[in-house]
Amino acid sequence: MPAPPGDEAALLAQIMGGRAPAAAGATAVSSPAPPAPVRAPVWRIAAVVAGTLIALLLAGQLLGTVAASWPPAVQTAAMSAILVALALAAGRMAGADLFVPGEHGLRWSAIGAAIGLCGIGWCALSLALGGRLVATVEPAGLVALWGVAITLVQVAGEEILFRGAIQPAIGRVLPPLGAIAATGAVFALLHLPGGWSAPLGILNIFLAGCWLGLLAERSGGLSAPIAAHWGWNAGEMNVLGLFPNPGVGPWGALWGHDIVGSAAWGGGEEGLNGSFLATLVLGGITLVLLAIRRKRAA
């Protein structure tokens, strides 16, 4: 049997499992506990998100009324400015940090752009192999390159609002994956007033929102989702001319194409965005990103 403790300090040490008290004059050093995540009231976040979305819809309707005769580039710039202004207001009210480029911003920008361009390229290759892609003769050139820049302005405004403000705001009351999914759902629902009604189209926009949200969370900032969104949209509209279908947008395309055949494979008015092919590609990208874990600072 162990010897009985000789004093109160030894008794306490035995009760605590044999841990002896610190020697006289020694300073106990312990690692500070990590700060608990700051949670905001659910009602406040819900009010911020709902108010932002209502303001966005009203601003879009107003802009559509007063800017009908404006050049397309001016309309896009004005709408992007509205998106950024709403993001600033929402971020301030919800305590979200905006304009964060992320960890290794340049590397993640290259990764994001590559994912977007490769995703739309894979769709186009699949359509071509299936005989569903028809080259057109619409003129393009410098105008199409100008459209590439305008597309960057457009997607930057969307990402600053959705992945820069709304997703972090929802993240104050939901875990990361929940915030990503909720923001993706909001992103999809807001396309309904714009004429997107096919179930596959809404599903694809939701998957795109999840993919971009995962890129924002994994990279820790906005450079990756902005680059990815730009890569997909610019490749689809400005390079290959896959949207609108048939025809091309106001900037033309460097290499115009129409998609023919079944609407389920991109031959409808919504083009590739309303196709099962896009569902497969966007779903695959989302699953790959779900398997990647962000390295947190120690």
Side-chain angles (χ1 to χ4, degrees):
M1 295 180 61
D7 54 28
E8 293 182 0
L11 175 61
L12 178 62
Q14 182 172 309
I15 294 174
M16 297 298 293
R19 292 192 296 269
T27 303
V29 178
S30 61
S31 300
V38 178
R39 294 291 179 183
V42 174
W43 66 265
R44 178 179 177 182
I45 298 302
V48 169
V49 173
T52 301
L53 300 181
I54 292 172
L56 177 59
L57 291 173
L58 293 176
Q61 290 182 352
L62 178 62
L63 186 63
T65 301
V66 302
S69 60
W70 295 1
V74 178
Q75 294 182 31
T76 300
M79 193 64 208
S80 296
I82 291 172
L83 292 170
V84 173
L86 289 174
L88 288 170
R92 183 176 182 84
M93 289 185 290
D97 293 328
L98 298 179
F99 308 112
V100 179
E103 303 160 3
H104 309 289
L106 289 177
R107 184 178 72 184
W108 272 107
S109 295
I111 292 173
I115 293 174
L117 289 169
C118 289
I120 200 68
W122 182 262
C123 290
L125 178 61
S126 300
L127 290 169
L129 292 175
R132 302 176 184 273
L133 203 62
V134 177
T136 59
V137 293
E138 284 89 351
L142 292 178
V143 176
L145 292 177
W146 172 243
V148 170
I150 296 300
T151 298
L152 178 59
V153 173
Q154 174 193 350
V155 302
E158 292 183 9
E159 291 309 306
I160 288 171
L161 176 61
F162 286 96
R163 260 58 66 176
I166 292 179
Q167 182 169 306
I170 298 177
R172 298 196 65 191
V173 296
L174 291 179
L177 290 183
I180 290 168
T183 305
V186 170
F187 187 62
L189 290 175
L190 274 181
H191 283 74
L192 290 174
W196 298 87
S197 57
L200 270 179
I202 298 302
L203 173 61
N204 288 340
I205 296 171
F206 169 72
L207 289 173
C210 292
W211 156 44
L212 296 169
L214 283 166
L215 271 179
E217 197 276 335
R218 298 311 191 234
S219 66
L222 287 177
S223 60
I226 288 175
H229 199 163
W230 170 82
W232 182 283
N233 282 21
E236 181 183 26
M237 297 185 295
N238 309 123
V239 177
L240 296 175
L242 300 179
F243 186 83
N245 188 62
V248 293
W251 318 110
L254 295 175
W255 188 22
H257 293 82
D258 287 339
I259 306 174
V260 298
S262 169
W265 293 99
E269 292 183 0
E270 293 189 6
L272 190 60
N273 296 324
S275 72
F276 183 63
L277 176 59
T279 305
L280 294 176
V281 173
L282 291 169
I285 294 173
T286 302
L287 289 175
V288 169
L289 289 172
L290 278 171
I292 298 174
R293 292 291 181 264
R294 178 182 173 188
K295 292 183 179 179
R296 308 286 181 177

